[in-house]
């Protein structure tokens, strides 16, 4: 009992849960043992009775604790199960029948006998005793069964864990049976209990199943992907696992004596020394294959002396190759094999850091209308163009090391190279070579590929490479729509321009809200000088920059798409004015400009017809000016829009007639009501004579076609007289008036009229 108490004490001190479970179980063993002891030593009946009750009830507690320990140890579900409730009910029932025993005597009574000269109270069992035994032994055998089940069904590795407890239980059981079936009067089963407790305690907490561990470790080492070789102190190889044999081509049964030399060779040493641990990486050729190996040596010591060592060899070839592949993919463009954007920037910055005094240029390349190339000739052809382009750039770069080339995205490429003689002419020449060789791949397609180049002179490594590239690209953008120049060099004005564009775009909304954007009116007069109407021309009265003409902001708004919002605003201003004039009985028209870009962003028909409906205006009072560029794309839809507007009563004016490439053709296909002849025919140039002939022809042509013509840009009386002679009947120009604020226009031209 003392030993068991010590086990309880040790178990409670141990932090492991298993230790606490075991100590509970051993604690539960003590009551029946105590009862047993009392029975043995008692000389009076009442003393022996107390001992018997302690023994029987303690036994119930013991088997319950055993069952709990068993289910925990064997990881069987028990807590919260129905079985647990039934077992507890049975034990409570047993308790009750013992409680009734003093009255009924149905479980047992005691009778004195003489054993070797001293008095002993022998237990005489009755029916209740059998019930008690069924319950107690039932629970005991259930636990035994669980251990038996685990012993026979667990994988070989774990059998030992269960087998030991199972055997302990069987031993205990045999001892107990021996007492029950032998005719020994004195019950010494407590010895079996105590023994069982000690065995369980030892095997659960202190016994290391070395066989289990050894076989487990051996199996782990055998099947490890790492090669493992074990050497004794003298350097003979005792063991090489499967991976090591496979890696070095050592047969299963082969002699391992050559291993030491093999390994020493691997790490370029005459022999392996076992004085310290180390690890190294090596790239070697084994059976014609290049392998990346990571080799580590660990010494094995016993009592401070080295008794051997094991060598681990990890084949990193696949992993290294995969990493290298992934690194390549993360840094390169798949199609062209050039660096991708991020890596290009990283390499540029590395180059500039290494050579801060060097003179470099960052160049941005872009294929003109690459989308069209893709659309017309297929994506595959587009890819070929990009690959050819990359090859050309490699070629250019190859001649001027050190360089870095990257594909920034889509058809955009970046290059950094020594400044050398990078003049505009040299660049144009170089670029032409690139264009020519790229175009070669599309030879029989009748399409010459144009490439644009923007150049930024690097001024030390202070700017991030992405900004340098952006600047080169900014330069490129400035020649994107230029048919003659394909190369541009960055200067700070470009940046200012971009900043200005950004500012315009940012300020526009507020400008419209606070009436900085205003419609100015320029009169359109007839041959008698009478005002027929006016063209609405936008002005921006900027708080800092003063009056801005459309040339300063319309192109920016067009390039950002904000033009649609802007024009809708101007049209609404015009409608408001027309409604006002209508109320005052003023019968004048207003012409508004429609940008080509408006057609992309607006349903022009809906917006304009909606406005005249909203303000109750006669559509013929709102004339619509479009230039021929409107018809350059999506002609069918745009014609339909114009026809619908004309059907509603709007008059369509063709603005800047004669300034474009296909004005005459346009006249044939598009139903205009009015031709606004471009002011360039009036300019005094060397070809003034020819211009006059053309002017006369246009005026005649429009008369023949029944189209009204109006000439813009009339600046002098002479021009006016000439146009009158030519048969023109409507005029607009500084000779009559400059564009002016609405109030000025009304004051100058409308007051007299409404007072007439
Ligand atoms: P446009 O529609 O051809 O307008 C005529 C331009 O010629 C106006 O320039 C006008 O001031 C100018 N002009 C008129 N008479 C003479 C003259 O005798 N001599 C000279 N040298 N110029 C004359 P402005 O106002 O600078 O407008 C320029 C262009 O901006 C317009 O050309 C038009 O295309 C565009 N624009 C103006 N306002 C708007 C607008 O609200 N929306 C859109 N989308 N474009 C507008
Ligand atoms: Mg106009
Ligand atoms: Mg015009």
């Amino acid at each position: 009992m003392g030993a068991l108490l010590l086990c309880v004490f040790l178990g409670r001190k141990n932090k492991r849960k298993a230790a606490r479970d075991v100590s509970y179980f051993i604690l539960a063993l003590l009551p029946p043992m105590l009862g047993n002891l009392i029975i043995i030593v008692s000389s009076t009946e009442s003393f022996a009775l107390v001992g018997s009750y302690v023994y029987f009830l303690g036994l119930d507690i013991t088997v319950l604790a055993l069952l709990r320990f068993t289910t925990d140890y064997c990881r069987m579900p028990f807590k919260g199960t129905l079985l647990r409730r039934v077992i507890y009910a049975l034990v409570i029932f047993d308790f009750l029948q013992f409680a009734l025993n003093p009255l009924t005597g149905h479980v047992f009574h005691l009778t004195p006998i003489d054993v070797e000269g001293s008095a002993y109270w022998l237990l005489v069992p009755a029916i209740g005793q059998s019930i008690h035994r069924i319950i107690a032994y039932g629970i005991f055998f259930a636990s035994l069964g669980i251990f038996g089940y685990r012993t026979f069904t667990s994988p070989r590795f774990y059998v030992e864990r269960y087998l030991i407890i199972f055997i302990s239980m069987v031993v205990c059981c045999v001892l107990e049976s021996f007492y029950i079936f032998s005719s020994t009067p004195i019950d010494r089963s407590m010895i079996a209990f105590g023994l069982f407790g000690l065995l369980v305690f030892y095997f659960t907490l202190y016994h290391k199943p070395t066989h289990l561990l050894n076989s487990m470790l051996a199996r782990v080492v055998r099947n490890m992907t790492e090669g493992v070789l074990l050497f004794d102190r003298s350097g003979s190889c005792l063991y090489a696992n499967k991976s090591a044999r496979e890696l070095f081509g050592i047969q299963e049964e082969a002699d391992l004596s050559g291993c030491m030399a093999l390994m020493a060779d691997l790490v370029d040493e005459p022999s392996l020394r076992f004085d310290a641990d180390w690890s190294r990486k090596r790239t070697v050729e084994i059976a014609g294959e290049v392998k990346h190996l990571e080799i580590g040596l660990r010494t094995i010591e016993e009592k401070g002396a080295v008794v051997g060592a094991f060598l681990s060899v990890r084949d990193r070839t696949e992993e290294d190759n995969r990493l290298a592949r992934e690194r390549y993919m993360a840094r390169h463009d798949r199609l062209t094999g050039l660096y991708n954007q991020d890596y290009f920037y990283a390499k540029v910055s590395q180059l500039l850091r290494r050579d801060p005094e060097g003179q470099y240029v960052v160049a941005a390349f872009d294929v003109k209308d690459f989308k069209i190339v893709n659309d017309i000739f297929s994506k595959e052809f587009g890819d070929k163009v990009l690959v050819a382009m990359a090859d050309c750039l490699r070629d250019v770069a190859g001649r001027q090391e050190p360089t870095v080339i990257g594909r920034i995205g889509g058809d955009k490429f970046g290059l950094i190279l020594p400044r050398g003689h990078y003049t505009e002419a040299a660049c144009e020449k170089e670029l032409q070579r690139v264009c020519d060789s790229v175009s070669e791949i599309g030879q029989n397609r009748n399409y010459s590929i144009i490439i644009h180049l923007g150049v930024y002179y690097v001024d030390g490594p202070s700017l991030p490479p992405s900004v340098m590239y952006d600047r080169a690209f900014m330069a490129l953008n400035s020649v994107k729509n230029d048919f003659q120049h394909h190369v541009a060099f960055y200067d700070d004005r470009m940046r200012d321009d971009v900043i200005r564009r950004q500012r315009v775009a940012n300020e526009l909304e507020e400008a419209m809200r606070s009436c900085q954007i205003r419609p100015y009116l320029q009169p359109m007069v007839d041959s008698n000088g009478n005002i027929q109407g006016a063209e609405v021309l936008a002005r921006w009265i900027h708080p800092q920059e003063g009056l801005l003409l459309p040339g300063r902001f319309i192109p920016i708004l067009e390039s950002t798409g904000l033009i649609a919002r802007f024009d809708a605003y101007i049209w609404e201003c015009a409608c408001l004015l027309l409604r006002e004039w209508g109320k005052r009985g003023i019968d004048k028209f207003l012409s508004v400009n429609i940008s080509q870009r408006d057609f992309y962003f607006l349903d022009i028909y809906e917006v304009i017809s909606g406005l005249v409906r909203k303000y109750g205006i006669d559509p013929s009072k709102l004339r619509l000016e479009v230039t021929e560029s409107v018809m350059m794309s999506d002609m069918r839809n745009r014609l339909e829009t114009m026809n619908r507007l004309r059907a509603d009563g709007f008059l369509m004016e063709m603005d800047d007639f004669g300034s474009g490439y296909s004005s005459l053709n346009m006249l044939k296909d598009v139903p205009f009501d009015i031709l606004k002849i471009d002011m360039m025919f009036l300019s005094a140039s060397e070809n003034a004579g020819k211009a006059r002939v053309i002017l006369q022809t246009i005026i005649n042509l429009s008369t023949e076609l029944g189209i009204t013509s109006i000439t813009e840009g009339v600046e002098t009386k002479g021009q006016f007289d000439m146009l009158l002679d030519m048969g023109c009947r409507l005029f607009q120009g500084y000779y009559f008036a400059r564009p002016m604020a609405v109030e000025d226009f009304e004051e100058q031209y409308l007051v007299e009229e409404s007072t007439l």
Side-chain angles (χ1 to χ4, degrees), residues 524 535-537 591-594 625-627 653 655-656 676 712 732:
M524 287 158 135
E535 178 173 5
V536 182
L537 294 160
S591 279
V592 290
N593 290 287
I594 299 178
E625 292 191 12
V626 290
T627 58
E653 294 183 14
D655 204 356
D656 304 338
K676 286 190 86 174
E712 303 188 79
Q732 182 182 343

Side-chain angles (χ1 to χ4, degrees), residues 20 99 126 137 170 180 192 210 215 256 413 428 513 549 614 642 670 688 722 736:
R20 266 174 285 135
Y137 289 105
V170 172
I180 292 172
T210 43
S215 64
L256 298 174
F413 295 82
E428 283 281 4
R513 229 190 339 264
L549 292 177
K614 180 174 169 193
M642 284 169 63
V670 189
M722 177 186 79
F736 307 100

Side-chain angles (χ1 to χ4, degrees), residues 478-738:
S478 70
V479 282
K480 222 170 176 183
N481 298 317
D482 192 327
F483 287 89
Q484 268 151 23
H485 299 100
H486 299 138
V487 178
F489 289 78
Y490 173 85
D491 65 41
D492 283 340
R493 273 181 318 210
M494 287 178 180
R495 195 196 47 185
D496 295 346
D497 192 53
V498 170
I499 293 172
R500 200 169 52 78
R501 283 165 163 271
Q502 221 128 39
R503 216 186 51 218
V504 166
N506 292 342
E507 289 175 351
L508 180 73
E509 202 60 41
E510 173 57 23
M512 288 193 289
R513 229 190 339 264
S514 57
C515 292
Q516 292 172 32
I517 307 293
R518 293 193 200 154
Y520 267 43
L521 304 180
Q522 185 177 33
M524 287 158 135
V525 300
D526 63 15
S527 42
N528 300 319
N530 291 330
I531 309 269
Q532 298 295 310
E535 178 173 5
V536 182
L537 294 160
R539 296 290 180 267
W540 186 334
I541 320 292
H542 197 276
Q544 280 88 42
E545 296 183 40
L547 184 123
L548 301 181
L549 292 177
R552 286 280 299 277
F553 54 87
I554 296 274
I556 299 176
L557 300 181
E558 284 186 327
S559 66
T560 51
L562 288 167
I563 189 70
R565 170 94 185 77
F566 180 88
D567 274 350
Y569 172 80
I570 294 287
W571 302 337
E572 184 147 19
C573 291
C575 290
L576 258 164
L577 206 56
L578 284 171
R579 182 176 70 177
E580 204 53 38
W581 288 357
K583 282 188 197 155
R584 288 161 56 189
I586 299 165
D587 182 28
K588 299 279 180 263
F589 67 81
L590 285 178
S591 279
V592 290
N593 290 287
I594 299 178
S595 160
Q596 176 207 357
R597 307 282 292 170
D598 290 333
F599 283 88
Y600 289 111
F601 301 107
L602 294 177
D603 183 339
I604 305 261
Y605 176 79
E606 281 303 321
V607 176
I608 293 185
S609 58
L611 279 172
V612 293
R613 256 199 317 278
K614 180 174 169 193
Y615 293 99
I617 296 160
D618 172 6
S620 68
K621 291 282 169 275
L622 186 70
R623 296 187 178 180
L624 309 171
E625 292 191 12
V626 290
T627 58
E628 62 181 277
S629 58
V630 163
M631 290 299 156
M632 290 302 195
S633 56
D634 201 12
M635 180 141 164
R636 214 164 53 85
N637 277 329
R638 293 182 185 177
L639 260 181
E640 193 193 310
T641 307
M642 284 169 63
N643 282 330
R644 286 171 75 195
L645 287 165
R646 290 185 74 235
D648 280 8
F650 291 98
L651 293 181
M652 299 300 304
E653 294 183 14
M654 187 179 193
D655 204 356
D656 304 338
F657 182 81
S659 66
Y661 299 102
S662 52
S663 301
L664 279 175
N665 210 20
M666 208 57 75
L667 212 55
K668 174 170 69 70
D669 298 325
V670 189
F672 284 105
D673 301 287
I674 296 154
L675 277 193
K676 286 190 86 174
I677 304 167
D678 196 76
M679 58 185 81
M680 73 171 180
F681 294 110
L682 293 177
S683 63
S685 69
E686 285 170 19
N687 297 323
K690 279 188 190 165
R692 284 178 69 171
V693 176
I694 296 173
L695 199 56
Q696 179 69 69
T697 314
I698 295 173
I699 293 170
N700 292 346
L701 189 70
S702 65
T703 317
E704 295 265 319
L705 293 172
I707 301 173
T708 314
S709 58
I710 164 168
T711 315
E712 303 188 79
V714 184
E715 290 183 343
T716 62
K717 178 155 184 348
Q719 288 172 338
F720 175 53
D721 290 341
M722 177 186 79
L723 288 162
L724 264 180
D725 276 356
M726 287 179 170
C728 184
R729 294 290 166 261
L730 262 181
F731 311 88
Q732 182 182 343
Y734 294 169
Y735 174 62
F736 307 100
R738 285 180 176 261

Side-chain angles (χ1 to χ4, degrees), residues 389-400 405 430 433:
M389 171 102 181
D391 290 343
C392 283
L393 295 184
R394 275 195 195 100
D395 185 41
V396 171
R399 283 179 275 118
Q400 306 175 58
I405 325 173
E430 183 87 68
R433 270 172 21 85

